[in-house]
Amino acid sequence: MFEFLFKYRPLVFERGELILAFPWWALAAGITVLALLVPTLLRYRRVGGDVTRLDRLLLSAVRTAALALVLFCLFQPVLLISTVVPQRNFIAVLLDDSRSMRVTDVDGRARGELIGDLFGGAPAAPETEEPQAEGAIRKALEERFRVRYYRFSSDATRVAGAGELRFAGGRTDLATAMDRAQQELAGLPLSGLVVVSDGADNSGQSMTDALLALQAAAVPVYTVGLGSERISPDIEIQRVEVPRSVLVGTTLVADVIVSHAGYAGRRVRLDVEDAGRILGSEEFDLPADGELPVRVQFQTEESGPRRVAFRVRPEEGEAVTANNVRQALIEVRDQRQKILYFEGEPRFEIKFLRRAVKDDPNLQLVLLLRTADEKYLRLGVDDGEELASGFPATREELFSYSGLVLGSVEASFFTHDQLQMMADFVSQRGGGLLLLGGRSAFAEGGYAGTPLADALPVVLEPGTPEDEVIEVAVELTPAGRRHPALRVADGDEESADQWSALPPLTSANRLSELKPGAVTLLAGSTIPDGDARVVLAHQRFGRGRAVVFPVQDSWLWQMHADIPVDDATHETLWRQLLRWLVTDVPGRVRVQSSEESIDPGESLTLTAQVEDERYLRVNGLRPTVRITDPTGLDVEAPMEWTVDQDGEYTAQYRPDQTGLYQVRVELPDDSAAARSTGTSYFHSGPTEREQFGAGMRRGLLERIAGESGGRFYTIDQVDQLPEDIRYTETGNTVIERKELWDMPFLFLLLLGLVGVEWGYRRWRGLI
């Protein structure tokens, strides 16, 4: 309709420059019109009878507008617009060759079929077979331009046409594809890029840098969006959050984000599988279309790297089923984690805590008990030298532990450096810190205002210690009900029932205010006043975790008269609590891959962070990365210091086989961290990342087009592309004139103004 009224499409008006190309006689005619306008207005002023002032104003305005319109046409308005010289300019057509083009969501057809409709197939080889249909868009483009075709997924490759597409790419990298095409055509008169894709970019590359390069080169990008913006009906597991490294036998809770469209009210089940064996399940009802957070609990029983699948079984009629499962690579470690437990005075809690964890092969609880001034009892140490001088005085000694449990010991026992060292143990070393309650703990022990107080999830109010011990009834918070460390029975409901049956505990510490970002897992209320108290809370502090448990007699959950003799709640709680405390505590050499799972033939980055015994970054080393492929063959490569980050080293690797790869970083014998190594894993094999978030991303495609000076088209609008791309200011161009004086809109507007004047005069009885 716009083109019918105004002769040209909106793009012509957007890019054209309006001028008035009037000849001398048009200027004379304009002067004549203005001369006629004056007596016309005077005539309206002399009209008598029932003519009101409003009538005069309206009629004058309409007559003036009509005469101005005639004058505008006489001045011959023209649009000057830059157009390309036929066959003197190049364009690059980038065709998406990734697996998401196999998605069938456009009237029962795959997106790749639409590319075939638009661009046909590649020309047939001589004396072989007939060429495929050329494609309407391809034909129109090649009539005006010299066209270069590229297929792209993780990279861009020159092709003869759409017939060479296989839709097998495991990744979409729009930024790299556009950059590659622009570089290959640099120096040629390039009129623009045409990107035909669903826009489902999953490369992680910065689009901003690519767009800045296109803007600098004045290369517009015309994007053609394929597919539906929202696939329906469909269920997709969008994200899985789970620790990448745990101790064997640890109970885990995975946070899973499930999205869906078209299945509201449907009850589905999320299964956690390891090599076909179901580790855990969670059933839930799907709400209205959108996202739903789901928590599922499971336990790791086998050590080693495990590829754990989180799966929702496909529902009838699903458009895409490959996005119903996500894999997570978890390293299940069968090793002992050392935890230092320091108590300032003998008490029953020590005995029962040690008894609770003594049979756990993955926890080594080292006890340091102050029995008198400068006298200590040491239990669980590796040798006679360990903790011989009491509490660690150096970072090297303290940081050799993965966790630190601090009992009832006053802050004045420690030096300021030791208090700061304990805070650094959490924030820099990444260790786990647990503070227990007691008469000499928290604010009552003088910790308010110390460096250690900064790490805690609770606010310590300085004041005079009170000698009163209060009784506290304990209950699970909503966060605690979902936390793996507090699951003391097989099911969620059974665990909650078990917690509600536990007797009250006592506390000498008054903690009620949390810091922002802290989470309460166990809440308490004083007996009989009912005042709220924090019983178990935690927060992330730097790289580590700080936990407070301000009670002094958790052993009552083992020895109270109401607790059955065979009840294992106390032992289970402490084993799980200490395992959680040291879960994913980093070593001095940490290595990770940029991808947890990657297609064979794609490149990934291996990054190592190296620290010395004080957990300070070490620069200038020459680490070696040893990569073991699925067949057991080792490949070694040097790692280079990144320079930008202290203690960070990288190497590139391209796997060529399917299976699990082990990555091990080794350091030179003369280095500050020579006795340390770091290990991680990644999997190589066909990925399904292209099936996740596979809806057409209109926003990204519009951004690319808008910021580069191009336009975005849907499949219904793409027939306008060959004409629009003519109007560019890059390459070999000429200026084209577009006459506007004979636009149908102007004629209709003039008729409308005359008709309005006549109709109004007739309505008012002025004729």
Side-chain angles (χ1 to χ4, degrees), residues 639-755:
M639 304 191 80
E640 300 292 336
W641 178 31
T642 62
V643 180
D644 294 334
Q645 296 289 333
D646 287 335
E648 185 174 275
Y649 303 83
T650 62
Q652 298 293 317
Y653 183 71
R654 190 183 300 271
D656 57 3
Q657 299 187 47
T658 297
L660 194 66
Y661 286 74
Q662 183 191 67
V663 181
R664 182 181 177 87
V665 172
E666 300 174 345
L667 300 172
D669 293 338
D670 58 350
S671 68
R675 293 190 301 275
S676 295
T677 60
T679 304
S680 70
Y681 300 85
F682 69 88
H683 184 268
S684 175
T687 63
E688 298 293 345
R689 65 168 64 87
E690 283 289 309
Q691 308 300 316
F692 293 89
M696 189 257 285
R697 299 185 188 176
R698 184 186 185 112
L700 177 60
L701 295 175
E702 287 181 337
R703 178 194 171 194
I704 293 172
E707 294 188 17
S708 65
R711 289 179 68 84
F712 166 77
Y713 303 86
T714 64
I715 197 66
D716 297 326
Q717 303 166 332
V718 71
D719 59 311
Q720 304 168 2
L721 170 63
E723 179 67 19
D724 288 350
I725 203 171
R726 290 180 55 227
Y727 303 114
T728 179
E729 297 180 356
T730 59
N732 294 318
T733 62
V734 295
I735 301 299
E736 186 175 326
R737 293 166 58 97
K738 300 288 187 181
E739 301 288 347
L740 300 179
W741 66 269
D742 57 347
M743 290 190 300
F745 173 76
L746 296 179
F747 176 72
L748 294 175
L749 181 59
L750 181 60
L751 288 180
L753 290 172
V754 173

Side-chain angles (χ1 to χ4, degrees), residues 104-140:
T104 303
D105 64 341
V106 184
D107 298 327
R109 305 182 66 202
R111 299 168 182 176
E113 294 181 51
L114 302 179
I115 294 181
D117 292 345
L118 300 176
F119 294 93
E127 302 177 357
T128 54
E129 58 182 22
E130 293 296 324
Q132 301 180 27
E134 189 174 10
I137 301 301
R138 173 173 181 159
K139 180 179 180 181

